[in-house]
Amino acid sequence: MLNYISHFFERAQHLTRHLHHLLGPPGSSCLTCGTRAVLSARYPGICTRCVQQIPWVRQIRCQRCGRGVGCPDCVRPHMQHRSFVCNRSAVQYNDLMREWISMYKFRGHERYAPLLTALLLQAFQAMSEELTRICGKETPKPLWRPDALTYVPVSEERLAERGFNQAERLAAGLAAAARIPGVDLLQRQINTGKQSFKSRAERFETMKHAFSIHPDGLNLLKDIYHAKGHAGSQSPMPVQLLLIDDIYTTGSTLDACGQVILAAAGHVGIPLRIYTLTLARS
Ligand SMILES: [Zn+2]
Ligand SMILES: [Zn+2]
């Protein structure tokens, strides 16, 4: 499914670029503000004024969850056992980003897909550069790249309602753009309902049983591991996996997904390191 979507995305991006070229300046309507203006070459569909309003997370204050502001969350004791090494997000979840994401997620405006993917890609590149600086002792340092990427699944019920999973689409878009294999690793067991009405403790509790490993998930992990060519050696290199979602709020969803993947990988003796990347950090 993901491969198919990746392919579809590549075609769609190609077509969008082509259309931009044909319909581009002077004067196309900006996707997000509607003004007729010269559209950005880098962020599909929007004008330069809207580009300037993107609330990028530029300064990371919390190394763990990637927040741009002071973070009381990650020092809590139970946070020390989270399944992912760190999270990074493209933008802060302000009113403008809420609007862009909901136009896509709830109202199905497909034209937002290339734009949101471009934001995620930019954050991926920044994350990659940051982790390259931090990790590895070899010189010159090889650019940090995950071996594969996957996404937070939605329930069948939610999928039927919306027609698509925004996290899966974002992951497929990034996989195609960054040329990283995308894999379906997880499935959602239950529909957890609206998380936004729940307390932090309730969110963690509901999330514990929300996900399970996809029937093909373990084989995919094994393939990725063997493709690294370290299986059987004394100190095998861990598989580096990037997990994608649209919004990071408390991190409980990403943590729950990560726990399931870590447990499954541990079961078959595959060392694994999970990193997470989200479009917005609330
Ligand atoms: Zn605009
Ligand atoms: Zn934090």
Side-chain angles (χ1 to χ4, degrees):
M1 185 66 177
L2 202 66
N3 267 344
Y4 169 76
I5 297 176
S6 299
H7 179 73
F8 171 78
F9 253 96
E10 259 178 289
R11 293 284 312 153
Q13 276 181 341
H14 178 77
L15 279 175
T16 329
R17 269 197 296 272
H18 190 63
L19 277 175
H20 274 183
H21 187 69
L22 287 176
L23 307 171
S28 300
S29 292
C30 171
L31 172 66
T32 55
C33 74
T35 315
R36 275 189 87 77
V38 175
L39 299 186
S40 162
R42 187 157 192 186
Y43 303 103
I46 63 172
C47 70
T48 46
R49 221 183 48 179
C50 285
V51 170
Q52 281 160 13
Q53 287 178 26
I54 298 172
W56 294 108
V57 178
R58 291 184 197 281
Q59 286 278 319
I60 290 158
R61 293 269 298 273
C62 179
Q63 296 302 325
R64 194 77 198 270
C65 71
R67 245 184 186 171
V69 293
C71 178
D73 292 348
C74 294
V75 291
R76 292 166 197 253
H78 69 273
M79 293 297 203
Q80 307 308 314
H81 306 288
R82 276 193 299 192
S83 56
F84 51 87
V85 178
C86 64
N87 172 72
R88 291 296 178 264
S89 308
V91 296
Q92 288 159 42
Y93 194 48
N94 66 4
D95 289 344
L96 187 69
M97 292 304 106
R98 180 175 294 120
E99 193 185 310
W100 289 13
I101 294 172
S102 53
M103 285 299 270
Y104 180 50
K105 185 171 171 176
F106 300 113
R107 301 178 64 184
H109 285 264
E110 294 278 341
R111 284 185 62 207
Y112 276 80
L115 170 62
L116 299 180
T117 305
L119 302 188
L120 196 68
L121 178 63
Q122 175 123 340
F124 171 76
Q125 283 159 346
M127 180 183 199
S128 183
E129 282 162 23
E130 185 195 345
L131 290 174
T132 301
R133 281 195 303 273
I134 302 169
C135 312
K137 294 175 189 76
E138 309 140 64
T139 39
K141 288 182 177 182
L143 188 68
W144 182 88
R145 270 175 79 80
D147 298 300
L149 58 84
T150 195
Y151 57 90
V152 174
V154 294
S155 64
E156 291 291 326
E157 195 185 339
R158 187 62 49 80
L159 199 61
E161 191 179 291
R162 285 192 199 144
F164 70 100
N165 171 6
Q166 72 287 352
E168 181 180 6
R169 296 283 178 94
L170 286 170
L174 181 61
R179 303 191 181 283
I180 297 164
V183 290
D184 297 318
L185 269 187
L186 293 164
Q187 56 190 7
R188 196 146 190 156
Q189 297 288 80
I190 46 167
N191 193 351
T192 42
K194 269 222 181 315
Q195 286 291 92
S196 34
F197 297 122
K198 292 177 184 158
S199 73
R200 181 176 298 272
E202 281 168 342
R203 282 181 193 222
F204 274 96
E205 203 42 46
T206 0
M207 276 303 160
K208 256 194 212 163
H209 311 287
F211 303 97
S212 65
I213 207 85
H214 191 277
D216 300 328
L218 270 187
N219 285 333
L220 288 167
L221 268 185
K222 281 181 196 161
D223 290 348
I224 294 163
Y225 183 51
H226 291 301
K228 280 181 80 91
H230 294 287
S233 76
Q234 284 298 338
S235 52
M237 292 286 284
V239 170
Q240 312 219 56
L241 182 73
L242 188 64
L243 177 59
I244 307 292
D245 203 5
D246 55 353
I247 304 160
Y248 184 115
T249 306
T250 61
S252 58
T253 307
L254 288 158
D255 184 40
C257 287
Q259 299 290 1
V260 169
I261 300 170
L262 280 184
H267 208 71
V268 291
I270 297 175
L272 189 74
R273 231 180 248 155
I274 300 172
Y275 298 82
T276 67
L277 178 66
T278 63
L279 192 54
R281 178 70 174 91
S282 75

